[in-house]
Amino acid sequence: MSSGLGGQFVAVLESLGMASRLRQGRLAARAGQVLSMSLSTSVVVAQVQDGSKTHRCRIGIKAFTKPEWNSVEKALAAQALYTARLLAGEVPYEMFADLGLRLFPDDLRELAMDCTCDTWDMPCTHLAAVCHLLAEMFDQDPFQALAWRGRGRDELLSRLGELRRTTRETAPVKGFWRRQQPVTVAAAEPVERPDAVLEELPPLPLELRGDRIADLLRPAYRRLRTPPGPAQS
Ligand SMILES: [Zn+2]
Protein backbone atom coordinates (compact mmCIF):
# COMPACT_ATOMS: atom_id res chain seq x y z
CA MET A 1 0.00 0.00 0.00
CA SER A 2 1.22 3.46 -0.81
CA SER A 3 2.19 6.19 1.61
CA GLY A 4 -0.77 8.25 0.35
CA LEU A 5 -4.15 8.70 1.95
CA GLY A 6 -5.10 5.04 1.34
CA GLY A 7 -1.91 3.96 3.07
CA GLN A 8 -2.87 6.09 6.06
CA PHE A 9 -6.32 4.53 6.13
CA VAL A 10 -4.82 1.03 6.08
CA ALA A 11 -2.32 1.96 8.80
CA VAL A 12 -5.18 3.19 10.98
CA LEU A 13 -7.16 -0.03 10.45
CA GLU A 14 -4.07 -2.14 11.15
CA SER A 15 -3.45 -0.25 14.36
CA LEU A 16 -7.03 -1.07 15.34
CA GLY A 17 -6.39 -4.80 15.12
CA MET A 18 -7.51 -5.44 11.52
CA ALA A 19 -4.09 -6.39 10.12
CA SER A 20 -4.69 -10.10 9.52
CA ARG A 21 -8.25 -9.53 8.29
CA LEU A 22 -6.97 -6.91 5.87
CA ARG A 23 -4.52 -9.41 4.43
CA GLN A 24 -7.40 -11.83 3.80
CA GLY A 25 -9.46 -8.97 2.45
CA ARG A 26 -6.71 -7.96 0.07
CA LEU A 27 -6.63 -11.50 -1.36
CA ALA A 28 -10.40 -11.46 -1.78
CA ALA A 29 -10.27 -8.05 -3.45
CA ARG A 30 -7.44 -9.17 -5.74
CA ALA A 31 -9.51 -12.21 -6.68
CA GLY A 32 -12.24 -9.86 -7.88
CA GLN A 33 -14.74 -10.83 -5.19
CA VAL A 34 -15.93 -7.27 -4.71
CA LEU A 35 -18.54 -7.00 -7.44
CA SER A 36 -19.60 -3.42 -6.84
CA MET A 37 -18.89 -0.62 -4.44
CA SER A 38 -20.46 2.78 -4.07
CA LEU A 39 -19.62 5.56 -1.71
CA SER A 40 -22.02 8.24 -0.67
CA THR A 41 -22.08 10.61 2.25
CA SER A 42 -21.13 8.65 5.34
CA VAL A 43 -21.65 5.17 3.93
CA VAL A 44 -20.02 2.71 1.56
CA VAL A 45 -22.17 -0.09 0.19
CA ALA A 46 -20.64 -3.06 -1.61
CA GLN A 47 -21.59 -6.46 -3.00
CA VAL A 48 -18.99 -9.12 -2.25
CA GLN A 49 -19.07 -12.59 -3.74
CA ASP A 50 -18.01 -15.58 -1.70
CA GLY A 51 -18.49 -18.96 -3.34
CA SER A 52 -22.07 -19.17 -4.54
CA LYS A 53 -23.24 -16.39 -2.26
CA THR A 54 -23.19 -12.63 -2.66
CA HIS A 55 -23.04 -10.57 0.51
CA ARG A 56 -23.97 -6.98 1.07
CA CYS A 57 -21.46 -4.97 3.08
CA ARG A 58 -21.93 -1.54 4.56
CA ILE A 59 -19.30 0.63 6.20
CA GLY A 60 -20.54 3.80 7.77
CA ILE A 61 -18.67 6.62 9.38
CA LYS A 62 -19.99 9.65 11.20
CA ALA A 63 -20.06 12.69 8.96
CA PHE A 64 -18.34 15.78 10.28
CA THR A 65 -20.89 18.18 11.74
CA LYS A 66 -21.69 21.45 10.02
CA PRO A 67 -19.51 23.48 12.42
CA GLU A 68 -16.68 20.97 11.88
CA TRP A 69 -16.96 21.33 8.12
CA ASN A 70 -17.05 25.11 8.51
CA SER A 71 -13.74 25.01 10.35
CA VAL A 72 -12.22 22.64 7.75
CA GLU A 73 -13.34 24.86 4.89
CA LYS A 74 -12.06 28.00 6.57
CA ALA A 75 -8.68 26.40 7.18
CA LEU A 76 -8.48 25.17 3.57
CA ALA A 77 -9.53 28.52 2.13
CA ALA A 78 -7.11 30.46 4.31
CA GLN A 79 -4.10 28.59 3.01
CA ALA A 80 -3.51 28.68 -0.73
CA LEU A 81 -1.06 25.84 -0.30
CA TYR A 82 -3.69 23.56 1.30
CA THR A 83 -6.08 24.10 -1.58
CA ALA A 84 -3.31 23.64 -4.12
CA ARG A 85 -2.36 20.36 -2.47
CA LEU A 86 -5.98 19.25 -2.48
CA LEU A 87 -6.30 19.97 -6.19
CA ALA A 88 -3.08 18.06 -6.77
CA GLY A 89 -4.72 15.05 -5.17
CA GLU A 90 -3.25 15.31 -1.69
CA VAL A 91 -5.32 15.78 1.44
CA PRO A 92 -3.54 18.00 3.99
CA TYR A 93 -3.94 15.31 6.62
CA GLU A 94 -2.15 17.25 9.37
CA MET A 95 -4.59 20.13 8.97
CA PHE A 96 -7.37 17.96 10.42
CA ALA A 97 -5.26 17.23 13.49
CA ASP A 98 -4.58 20.96 13.90
CA LEU A 99 -8.36 21.47 13.97
CA GLY A 100 -8.83 18.71 16.54
CA LEU A 101 -10.42 16.43 13.92
CA ARG A 102 -9.49 13.04 12.55
CA LEU A 103 -10.20 12.14 8.95
CA PHE A 104 -10.07 8.45 9.88
CA PRO A 105 -11.30 7.04 13.18
CA ASP A 106 -9.04 5.85 15.95
CA ASP A 107 -11.57 3.37 17.25
CA LEU A 108 -13.32 0.65 15.22
CA ARG A 109 -16.51 1.52 17.09
CA GLU A 110 -16.58 4.76 15.12
CA LEU A 111 -17.07 2.65 12.00
CA ALA A 112 -20.46 1.03 11.61
CA MET A 113 -19.72 -2.16 9.69
CA ASP A 114 -22.17 -4.85 8.79
CA CYS A 115 -22.36 -7.70 6.35
CA THR A 116 -25.08 -10.18 5.47
CA CYS A 117 -22.75 -13.15 6.06
CA ASP A 118 -22.89 -15.09 9.32
CA THR A 119 -19.28 -14.58 10.38
CA TRP A 120 -19.36 -13.91 14.11
CA ASP A 121 -15.85 -12.47 14.23
CA MET A 122 -16.43 -9.05 12.71
CA PRO A 123 -15.20 -7.35 10.64
CA CYS A 124 -15.41 -10.28 8.23
CA THR A 125 -13.20 -10.87 5.21
CA HIS A 126 -15.86 -9.30 2.98
CA LEU A 127 -15.73 -6.05 4.91
CA ALA A 128 -11.94 -6.20 4.94
CA ALA A 129 -11.96 -6.57 1.14
CA VAL A 130 -14.11 -3.48 0.88
CA CYS A 131 -11.78 -1.59 3.24
CA HIS A 132 -8.87 -2.56 1.02
CA LEU A 133 -10.58 -1.23 -2.10
CA LEU A 134 -11.67 1.85 -0.21
CA ALA A 135 -8.03 2.58 0.60
CA GLU A 136 -7.14 2.24 -3.09
CA MET A 137 -9.98 4.61 -3.93
CA PHE A 138 -8.68 7.18 -1.43
CA ASP A 139 -5.25 6.95 -3.05
CA GLN A 140 -6.67 7.59 -6.49
CA ASP A 141 -9.08 10.30 -5.42
CA PRO A 142 -8.63 11.76 -1.92
CA PHE A 143 -11.85 13.73 -2.37
CA GLN A 144 -13.65 10.42 -1.80
CA ALA A 145 -12.37 10.33 1.78
CA LEU A 146 -13.78 13.81 2.31
CA ALA A 147 -17.07 12.76 0.69
CA TRP A 148 -17.22 9.84 3.12
CA ARG A 149 -16.99 12.42 5.90
CA GLY A 150 -19.86 14.33 4.42
CA ARG A 151 -18.61 16.83 1.83
CA GLY A 152 -18.60 15.94 -1.85
CA ARG A 153 -15.91 17.34 -4.11
CA ASP A 154 -18.10 19.78 -6.04
CA GLU A 155 -19.75 21.15 -2.92
CA LEU A 156 -16.41 21.51 -1.15
CA LEU A 157 -14.72 23.29 -4.07
CA SER A 158 -17.62 25.63 -4.56
CA ARG A 159 -17.63 26.45 -0.82
CA LEU A 160 -13.88 27.11 -0.97
CA GLY A 161 -14.35 29.37 -3.99
CA GLU A 162 -16.98 31.37 -2.11
CA LEU A 163 -14.83 31.65 0.99
CA ARG A 164 -11.82 32.77 -0.99
CA ARG A 165 -13.86 35.39 -2.79
CA THR A 166 -15.25 36.75 0.45
CA THR A 167 -12.03 36.78 2.46
CA ARG A 168 -8.74 38.46 1.88
CA GLU A 169 -6.79 35.75 3.64
CA THR A 170 -4.81 34.79 0.60
CA ALA A 171 -1.38 35.34 2.10
CA PRO A 172 0.88 32.78 0.46
CA VAL A 173 2.95 30.43 2.52
CA LYS A 174 6.55 31.57 2.66
CA GLY A 175 8.38 30.33 -0.38
CA PHE A 176 5.21 29.27 -2.17
CA TRP A 177 5.23 31.99 -4.81
CA ARG A 178 8.94 31.75 -5.35
CA ARG A 179 8.55 28.10 -6.25
CA GLN A 180 6.31 29.09 -9.13
CA GLN A 181 9.00 31.01 -10.96
CA PRO A 182 10.00 28.08 -13.21
CA VAL A 183 6.75 28.73 -15.08
CA THR A 184 8.38 31.67 -16.78
CA VAL A 185 11.52 29.78 -17.82
CA ALA A 186 9.80 26.53 -18.74
CA ALA A 187 9.48 27.51 -22.39
CA ALA A 188 13.20 28.18 -22.75
CA GLU A 189 14.43 25.32 -20.59
CA PRO A 190 12.02 22.43 -20.58
CA VAL A 191 12.03 20.67 -17.24
CA GLU A 192 11.43 16.98 -16.71
CA ARG A 193 7.69 17.45 -16.08
CA PRO A 194 6.65 20.96 -17.06
CA ASP A 195 3.08 20.26 -16.00
CA ALA A 196 4.24 19.53 -12.44
CA VAL A 197 4.08 23.26 -11.87
CA LEU A 198 0.31 23.00 -12.23
CA GLU A 199 0.24 21.26 -8.90
CA GLU A 200 1.42 24.51 -7.36
CA LEU A 201 -1.01 26.80 -9.13
CA PRO A 202 -3.00 29.05 -6.86
CA PRO A 203 -6.44 27.55 -6.74
CA LEU A 204 -8.50 30.30 -8.36
CA PRO A 205 -10.54 29.70 -10.37
CA LEU A 206 -11.02 26.24 -8.95
CA GLU A 207 -13.01 24.72 -11.72
CA LEU A 208 -14.25 25.44 -15.20
CA ARG A 209 -17.48 23.65 -16.02
CA GLY A 210 -16.55 20.93 -13.58
CA ASP A 211 -13.02 20.40 -14.91
CA ARG A 212 -9.98 21.07 -12.82
CA ILE A 213 -8.15 24.02 -14.29
CA ALA A 214 -4.87 22.21 -13.76
CA ASP A 215 -6.13 19.28 -15.84
CA LEU A 216 -7.27 21.60 -18.61
CA LEU A 217 -3.89 23.29 -18.70
CA ARG A 218 -1.83 20.13 -18.43
CA PRO A 219 -1.65 19.31 -22.18
CA ALA A 220 -0.50 22.86 -22.88
CA TYR A 221 2.26 22.62 -20.30
CA ARG A 222 3.32 19.19 -21.52
CA ARG A 223 3.79 20.66 -25.00
CA LEU A 224 6.41 22.97 -23.51
CA ARG A 225 8.70 19.93 -23.27
CA THR A 226 9.01 19.68 -27.02
CA PRO A 227 10.94 22.49 -28.66
CA PRO A 228 9.25 23.57 -31.87
CA GLY A 229 10.73 21.51 -34.69
CA PRO A 230 11.21 22.52 -38.32
CA ALA A 231 7.98 23.14 -40.15
CA GLN A 232 6.59 20.03 -41.80
CA SER A 233 6.19 20.33 -45.52
ZN1 LIG B 1 -19.16 -10.84 5.56
Side-chain angles (χ1 to χ4, degrees), residues 143-177:
F143 281 99
Q144 298 283 359
L146 303 178
W148 198 31
R149 278 294 197 180
R151 217 21 132 247
R153 181 183 187 274
D154 291 349
E155 187 184 2
L156 179 62
L157 291 183
S158 115
R159 291 271 301 138
L160 292 182
E162 275 168 39
L163 281 169
R164 287 178 65 80
R165 272 192 293 277
T166 54
T167 59
R168 289 274 154 225
E169 297 169 51
T170 51
V173 169
K174 197 176 171 192
F176 176 60
W177 298 107

Side-chain angles (χ1 to χ4, degrees), residues 11-233:
V12 165
L13 294 178
E14 283 174 346
S15 76
L16 298 177
M18 270 188 72
S20 65
R21 268 289 193 249
L22 277 173
R23 278 192 292 277
Q24 296 165 351
R26 185 162 51 235
L27 292 176
R30 290 270 177 272
Q33 285 178 240
V34 180
L35 304 177
S36 69
M37 184 167 93
S38 68
L39 182 148
S40 57
T41 304
S42 297
V43 68
V44 178
V45 179
Q47 305 278 344
V48 184
Q49 194 170 36
D50 191 353
S52 60
K53 289 185 176 169
T54 301
H55 298 291
R56 182 168 180 266
C57 294
R58 287 186 305 183
I59 306 177
I61 194 168
K62 214 172 129 219
F64 287 149
T65 63
K66 208 170 175 196
E68 284 170 343
W69 269 116
N70 283 345
S71 68
V72 167
E73 286 161 354
K74 265 190 201 156
L76 283 170
Q79 284 280 12
L81 188 57
Y82 281 157
T83 316
R85 281 171 62 189
L86 199 58
L87 291 175
E90 186 193 340
V91 167
Y93 199 67
E94 72 284 358
M95 186 201 76
F96 289 90
D98 291 344
L99 295 170
L101 296 171
R102 280 173 283 103
L103 191 54
F104 300 133
D106 64 358
D107 188 325
L108 276 188
R109 283 174 298 187
E110 289 179 49
L111 289 177
M113 297 202 257
D114 65 44
C115 178
T116 51
C117 76
D118 52 11
T119 304
W120 61 269
D121 185 16
M122 296 293 268
C124 60
T125 306
H126 314 119
L127 285 164
V130 176
C131 285
H132 179 76
L133 288 189
L134 202 51
E136 287 190 345
M137 185 194 262
F138 293 160
D139 266 343
Q140 283 160 17
D141 180 5
F143 281 99
Q144 298 283 359
L146 303 178
W148 198 31
R149 278 294 197 180
R151 217 21 132 247
R153 181 183 187 274
D154 291 349
E155 187 184 2
L156 179 62
L157 291 183
S158 115
R159 291 271 301 138
L160 292 182
E162 275 168 39
L163 281 169
R164 287 178 65 80
R165 272 192 293 277
T166 54
T167 59
R168 289 274 154 225
E169 297 169 51
T170 51
V173 169
K174 197 176 171 192
F176 176 60
W177 298 107
R178 222 176 319 140
R179 284 164 61 203
Q180 288 196 81
Q181 283 178 2
V183 181
T184 55
V185 298
E189 287 177 35
V191 292
E192 189 56 29
R193 260 191 70 217
D195 55 316
V197 77
L198 292 171
E199 285 155 21
E200 298 183 4
L201 270 185
L204 285 177
L206 295 168
E207 290 187 282
L208 184 65
R209 292 168 193 261
D211 289 311
R212 283 173 42 174
I213 290 298
D215 288 339
L216 294 174
L217 292 175
R218 204 172 290 279
Y221 274 82
R222 288 228 164 108
R223 278 198 294 276
L224 291 175
R225 292 184 74 151
T226 320
Q232 302 286 320
S233 56

